[in-house]
Amino acid sequence: NGTLAANVLDFMLERHPDIYSELRYTVLDVSKGLCERQESLVGLHNRNHESHFQSLVGNACDGKSWEGLLEGGERVYVLGLEVLDNLPHDRIEKVDGKWMETWVSYESESHPNGVEELREMRDDVILSCFDAYDWTAINSEKDEEQKKDGGFLATLETFITRSRRR
């Protein structure tokens, strides 16, 4: 509903106004109504954010939806919310350079409540999202600051400010 966008923009405005001045937060969503609601909420929350926020109606599985968002030499950070997290898998992660799905297996008698298992990524919906963009450019290394559990905004801050220095 726009809450995350408003919180991220608030955080960047307060902590990194230099980055905020160049920041553009874009939401890509299949629902026109939800896009309109997010624009309204972000604008009502802080009028300054209106020039830093846009929502586009599109499907993350369709490469055409990404056109224009990933061009121009700007740094782009993709937060795959409401896409990959709504799939039947708990999460995906990159292990030794290969993307894996996390499954919960109940086949072990020693773990009657289930145990997480990494499996080769085969889900057609996840694969179509990956086909829409070259995710191989994502750096899987974690520095010491990112390893600390500082919450979502602290992790995002570390990632953005670290990569900006490069």
Side-chain angles (χ1 to χ4, degrees), residues 55-153:
S55 61
L56 302 174
V57 178
N59 185 332
C61 294
D62 180 358
K64 291 179 183 174
S65 297
W66 294 96
E67 288 178 4
L69 293 177
L70 307 172
E71 299 169 357
E74 303 164 337
R75 294 196 185 277
V76 175
Y77 305 94
V78 177
L79 310 176
L81 306 175
E82 301 295 322
V83 177
L84 300 178
D85 64 336
N86 280 332
L87 299 174
H89 312 290
D90 292 327
R91 70 176 177 266
I92 61 169
E93 62 183 90
K94 200 171 190 178
V95 178
D96 297 325
K98 187 174 185 177
W99 288 101
M100 307 291 283
E101 296 174 349
T102 302
W103 288 65
V104 178
S105 173
Y106 296 95
E107 296 173 10
S108 169
E109 290 182 24
S110 60
H111 296 94
N113 294 323
V115 61
E116 288 186 0
E117 223 176 70
L118 288 176
R119 298 182 185 174
E120 183 177 338
M121 196 163 63
R122 293 186 179 157
D123 185 280
D124 289 336
V125 176
I126 295 175
L127 291 170
S128 65
C129 287
F130 270 69
D131 287 343
Y133 178 67
D134 180 14
W135 298 95
T136 59
I138 296 174
N139 183 353
S140 63
E141 294 177 16
K142 295 181 181 178
D143 61 24
E144 289 306 310
E145 291 179 55
Q146 284 179 295
K147 290 180 182 176
K148 297 176 187 173
D149 184 14
F152 174 76
L153 291 174

Side-chain angles (χ1 to χ4, degrees), residues 1-6 9 25 27-47 49-50 53-57 82:
N1 66 12
T3 304
L4 177 64
L9 291 168
Y25 191 112
V27 169
L28 178 62
D29 200 288
V30 295
S31 167
K32 181 179 180 185
L34 189 55
C35 283
E36 291 170 351
R37 193 164 100 205
Q38 292 177 75
E39 286 181 10
S40 176
L41 184 136
V42 170
L44 289 172
H45 177 78
N46 184 331
R47 290 281 176 217
H49 295 340
E50 287 179 338
F53 180 81
Q54 69 174 338
S55 61
L56 302 174
V57 178
E82 301 295 322

